[in-house]
Each structure stands twice: as C-alpha cells, then as structure tokens.
Amino acid sequence: MSVARLEIASVLAAPKIGEEVLLKGWVRAFRSNRFIALNDGSCFANIQVVVDFENFPEELLSQVSFHSCVAVKGQLVESQGKGQTVEVVATELEILGGNDPEAYKLQPKRQTMEFLREQAQFRMRTNTFSAVFRIRHGIAYAIHKYYHDNGFYYMHSPIITGSDAEGAGEMFRVTTFDPGNPPLGEDGKVDYAQDFFGKATNLTVSGQLQAEIGALALGKVYTFGPTFRAENSNTSRHLAEFWMIEPEMAFYDINDNMNLAEDFTKYLIKYILEHYPDDLAFLDQRIQDAEKQMKAELRRPMGLIETLKFVVENDFERLTYTEAVNILLNSKPHKKGKFQFPIEWGSDLQAEHERWLVEKKFKKPVIVVDYPKDIKAFYMRQNEDGKTVAAMDVLFPGIGEVIGGSQREERLDKLTQRMKEMDIHEEELSWYLDLRKFGGAPHSGFGLGFERMVLFITGMTNIRDVIPFPRTPGSAAY
C-alpha cells in the first residue's frame, strides 16, 4: 500500500472518480460480508468500501468486525447504491487492529448514555460522541477566532492560586504535605507557611482577577482554561473540572458587556451552523427520534437546528432582576405553587425560574441585569440605589445560565468598604487594590461556561456528555 493515505473528509469533499485511494479507519458496519462502512473521524460521514469476497481470503474477512481498524486500498467509483455519491472498490485490505466481537464492550446498537460514560475509552467512536466532540473542537476554535478578530489578547491565567475569586470557599487544596502528618503551628492548625508555595493554595475557580490585570494594561484580554469547583453536586449541569472563557475589557460598562456577550454567543452558534452541518443534522435527528417516545408537553418546541437559528436571528430579551422577580411572582406556575423554590426579592434565581423566563415567558435567550448586591461577589460595581450591582446573567433555553458577568468596581473606597462588609482582608488582595490606586479605569467582563455552551449547541442533556473525561463527585476515572 504505497499510495499516500487520504482522509475521508477530503475524499468526499472533492471526489476524483477513478482515482486510486488509500483509506484507514474504523469499521462502523460490515454488511453481507461485502460492504464496509468506514469512518476515520475526519467527518461525520462514512464511506462505503465494496469488498469482493472472492478476491480476499475468508480468514481475513472474518477478522473484520464492529470498530475493527483497517486499511483499504482501492478505486474510487460512483456509487451504485443509495445514500452516497461515491464508494471504494477494494483491491487491498489490511487489518490494523481487530476486535473480538464477543469481548468488545460496545455493540452495533443503541447504548445508554450512562453505559457509554463508563466506557470513555470507546465512546468517541460512536456517531453521537464523535459528532459532539467535533463540534466541541469547532466551538473552541471559534472562540479564539472571535477574540483574535476583535482585537483581544489571549492570556493564560494561573491554575494554582492563593485567591478565591468567587468567595465560595469550595476549592480543591494544592499541597505537597503528607496528608497523614502535615506540619502544625502553635495553634494546632496546618502550617502552610512550610508548604511548597509558602501559603495555602488551591486550584482556581476563575481567572477573572488576573484577567483584570491584563485588561488594565492591554485593553482587551480573554482567558480560556480549566477551572475547578469542589461542590458536591451530582446534577446534569455541574462538573468539578470544567473550562471557562473569561474576557475582560477596559473602558466597557455593563451595557458594553451585555452587547459583547450577545454578539459572542451568536457568533459561536453561527460558526457551528456553517461549518458542522452534518454533525448537527445527526444530533437534531437523534433528538427527534428520542422525543417520539415522550409526551407532547415534554418535547422541545423547536428542533435543534431550528432553535440555533432562532437564537442567532433574534435579539436577546433584556430586563432587570427586579422586573424578572415581579414577572415570576405574577406567573401562573408561582400562583399555582408549581415552582419548587420560593421567589422573593433578594434571593438568587433558581434554574427553574431562569428556564421559565426563557422558555415560557419570552421564548428566547434572556439577559438579567442589576442583581441584589448581597447575593453577588465583592468586585461588582455598586449601583446608585445602594441595593444592586451592575451584574448580568445570560440565560439560554434548556440549561439556564451560560454567562455570568459584571461591570467591575473601579472606585477604591467602594471596593474596600464592600470587602470589609464581606470579611475579605485587604492584605490578601493588595495587588488587586493597586489596580484601583494606580491608573484604574472602568472595566467589565464575564465568564462563559464552555461545557454549557457545548451542551446547548449539541442538544445533549447532561454536561458529562460534552466533556471527554468528566470529573464529578466520586468519579475521576481515566
């Protein structure tokens, strides 16, 4: 097989009838001991390989089974069957890696998501997950392209940090100490001054505070990296390790911030609609097939692709937190006691409230702005009413919040007073206060949960199914 190998995507994109080709990939199906559906991961589509069993020994063909890895050399011809324009008539066939069909953990049939999560070494070979992870790649690429084209600089924020940007305290400790015998101080507590970094450190929950340093020097920056939350949550929306995109912009107010968030998310969706139509079409059909077994009221109001186009083509609804609370208090679900969580001014909106606003009330993405200061982080700019801050959340159908952000508090006196109220010691964030003392400027930013965006665009229902190796409570396999 001296011919150079071609990827299936390139062959199908510009087929040359009569050309001799060498393809390598995994067998998706082997019908009638004659037709191999071959896929190499370069695109959603398979290519059909026609094997004349009279030209190949039975011993060789018997090794071809579901997800065997093979190399095929042959001639590209117009297809005689339905469903494909070209196929390959094999002249040479080599088994690169066979399968024991009885021992192989995946079978050529529909598998549950729960089962496939336990087989992460194989699940990317399935139609569903190969589509999901190609789209995940596409979104990641589009993120970098969007910010580069709009004059942002990519900034790497630290994974190990001594600060807690969220003030949640739910962080993973980073230490070199022997957990069974750490050094203790005179007060009987662990003496982290003797640790590797000379202080207590954790895995980061956000790169925002460091991104502010970048924004107040370079103008516009963004981070895109892993973040960690030691939150004991087993919901379909939470991971212990996930990826965040956090742009930070000097001279942006809260309205500029909202405009950027809307434009950015629309760009990502448009990019995938344009560049990954086959993967989206498969996932769309998958959802439609699954919903045939559901009650009508549980089905999506629109198909996946229709939903994505609708989001791109319509302005996001914008309203204040106070307006949102009033709408919820006057809603039928609230009056009939259908909401699980209470609604009152001063409490954070729950996922069920967010989804009702998006899916039932406005039927499109919603941006809620001006939240009560007591439920938000210390660094958010206080509004003139003394009760709210210039914070905003972007809410999407199906998943609720995908973006959280704010205008940052640039006024030193307001910031230090808020830190005192929240018992945050100034000496721990002296460098952060320096940004206000020396050349401070109004600035804003937000965080986009990458997996939640992938979840929305792919139509998957569990966040564990849009990251290759999910980290959740009690699970750190692979």
Side-chain angles (χ1 to χ4, degrees):
M1 294 188 177
S2 58
V3 179
R5 178 220 167 197
L6 296 176
E7 291 186 340
I8 291 173
S10 64
V11 172
L12 296 180
K16 298 177 181 177
I17 302 300
E19 181 183 25
E20 186 178 54
V21 297
L22 172 61
L23 305 176
K24 297 179 182 181
W26 294 270
V27 175
R28 288 282 173 86
F30 189 23
R31 297 182 292 107
S32 307
N33 220 32
R34 179 173 171 79
F35 302 105
I36 295 175
L38 192 67
N39 188 282
D40 64 3
S42 62
C43 62
F44 179 79
N46 304 324
I47 194 167
Q48 179 164 281
V49 178
V50 182
V51 179
D52 189 341
F53 58 86
E54 294 181 354
N55 296 333
F56 295 94
E58 183 177 344
E59 180 182 355
L60 176 65
L61 297 181
S62 67
Q63 298 178 52
V64 179
S65 61
F66 184 55
H67 286 175
S68 294
C69 187
V70 301
V72 174
K73 185 178 178 183
Q75 187 178 37
L76 193 66
V77 301
E78 292 184 6
S79 178
Q80 302 301 308
K82 297 179 180 179
Q84 64 273 331
T85 57
V86 294
E87 59 190 17
V88 175
V89 177
T91 56
E92 296 181 36
L93 175 66
E94 180 183 353
I95 307 295
L96 301 179
N99 274 344
D100 178 348
E102 294 183 2
Y104 186 46
K105 294 181 179 180
L106 298 190
Q107 297 299 317
K109 62 179 183 180
R110 185 179 293 274
Q111 308 282 358
T112 67
M113 294 294 104
E114 291 79 7
F115 173 76
L116 290 172
R117 282 179 215 130
E118 298 171 357
Q119 307 298 329
Q121 70 270 37
F122 298 130
R123 71 174 182 165
M124 289 189 198
R125 297 182 185 179
T126 66
N127 284 330
T128 297
F129 284 98
S130 62
V132 166
F133 290 118
R134 273 190 295 269
I135 288 174
R136 181 185 170 101
H137 158 80
I139 300 171
Y141 173 79
I143 288 165
H144 288 297
K145 179 172 172 55
Y146 177 86
Y147 284 119
H148 175 78
D149 290 350
N150 283 279
F152 284 70
Y153 295 103
Y154 181 31
M155 176 178 158
H156 296 96
S157 55
I159 292 175
I160 300 173
T161 178
S163 62
D164 178 1
E166 298 297 323
E170 296 169 336
M171 305 178 76
F172 291 101
R173 181 77 69 196
V174 175
T175 179
T176 59
F177 286 161
D178 178 352
N181 187 32
L184 304 178
E186 294 181 358
D187 58 1
K189 296 181 179 180
V190 176
D191 183 9
Y192 285 104
Q194 299 184 48
D195 206 351
F196 186 89
F197 293 106
K199 62 182 294 187
T201 53
N202 309 282
L203 295 179
T204 185
V205 299
S206 169
Q208 178 214 309
L209 301 188
Q210 291 83 1
E212 289 188 47
I213 295 175
L216 295 177
L218 301 175
K220 295 184 294 187
V221 301
Y222 73 103
T223 73
F224 185 2
T227 50
F228 308 84
R229 301 282 171 89
E231 182 179 356
N232 190 15
S233 175
N234 276 294
T235 76
S236 61
R237 302 181 339 129
H238 290 92
L239 292 165
E241 176 186 84
F242 55 99
W243 289 67
M244 285 277 284
I245 302 94
E246 297 178 287
E248 201 73 29
M249 300 76 62
F251 315 116
Y252 273 49
D253 65 16
I254 188 64
N255 292 306
D256 299 322
N257 207 22
M258 290 190 287
N259 293 338
L260 179 70
E262 180 170 346
D263 187 64
F264 172 48
T265 51
K266 285 182 174 181
Y267 176 89
L268 299 183
I269 296 169
K270 283 189 286 188
Y271 186 89
I272 299 303
L273 283 167
E274 180 180 351
H275 292 89
Y276 293 83
D278 292 344
D279 292 300
L280 280 178
F282 171 79
L283 293 172
D284 195 354
Q285 187 61 52
R286 175 183 175 274
I287 292 168
Q288 293 178 41
D289 292 344
E291 289 188 346
K292 289 177 182 177
Q293 313 301 321
M294 296 181 183
K295 295 179 180 179
E297 61 269 20
L298 297 177
R299 297 173 190 166
R300 295 168 181 247
M302 293 184 284
L304 176 62
I305 293 175
E306 188 182 2
T307 299
L308 297 178
K309 289 181 177 178
F310 181 81
V311 168
V312 167
E313 294 166 359
N314 288 277
D315 293 337
F316 292 5
E317 188 71 29
R318 300 187 186 188
L319 69 161
T320 67
Y321 167 88
T322 300
E323 290 170 335
V325 168
N326 289 335
I327 289 171
L328 288 163
L329 287 172
N330 289 294
S331 68
K332 288 183 179 179
H334 172 68
K335 291 179 178 179
K336 293 183 178 181
K338 295 291 182 67
F339 286 134
Q340 179 183 354
F341 295 95
I343 302 163
E344 59 181 355
W345 200 97
S347 296
D348 210 355
L349 300 180
Q350 300 297 317
E352 61 176 346
H353 306 142
E354 296 172 340
R355 290 188 59 180
W356 183 85
L357 289 169
V358 172
E359 298 166 24
K360 302 298 183 182
K361 175 63 178 177
F362 296 107
K363 296 183 172 59
K364 59 181 177 178
V366 171
I367 304 179
V368 179
V369 67
D370 294 339
Y371 280 82
K373 70 176 185 178
D374 291 338
I375 62 172
K376 289 297 182 179
F378 73 94
Y379 50 74
M380 297 186 176
R381 195 181 200 277
Q382 297 176 55
N383 292 327
E384 297 306 315
D385 61 14
K387 300 188 300 181
T388 64
V389 289
M392 62 101 176
D393 286 345
V394 180
L395 314 178
F396 267 30
I399 51 177
E401 181 192 338
V402 293
I403 282 178
S406 72
Q407 184 172 339
R408 316 312 189 189
E409 183 57 84
E410 84 280 8
R411 298 165 296 184
L412 181 63
D413 57 338
K414 295 281 188 180
L415 181 60
T416 53
Q417 178 60 37
R418 190 70 184 128
M419 290 172 66
K420 289 176 183 176
E421 292 172 4
M422 300 183 71
D423 196 29
I424 298 172
H425 302 295
E426 291 186 22
E427 59 270 20
E428 294 179 5
L429 287 173
S430 59
W431 59 269
Y432 190 69
L433 297 177
D434 280 349
L435 296 175
R436 277 71 181 168
K437 294 177 182 178
F438 309 103
H443 59 291
S444 299
F446 61 77
L448 168 68
F450 181 54
E451 281 73 25
R452 290 196 181 183
M453 196 65 190
V454 180
L455 198 69
F456 176 73
I457 292 178
T458 60
M460 301 297 283
T461 57
N462 193 310
I463 203 163
R464 303 178 194 201
D465 297 327
V466 297
I467 190 169
F469 308 106
R471 297 289 181 255
T472 55
S475 176
Y478 305 96

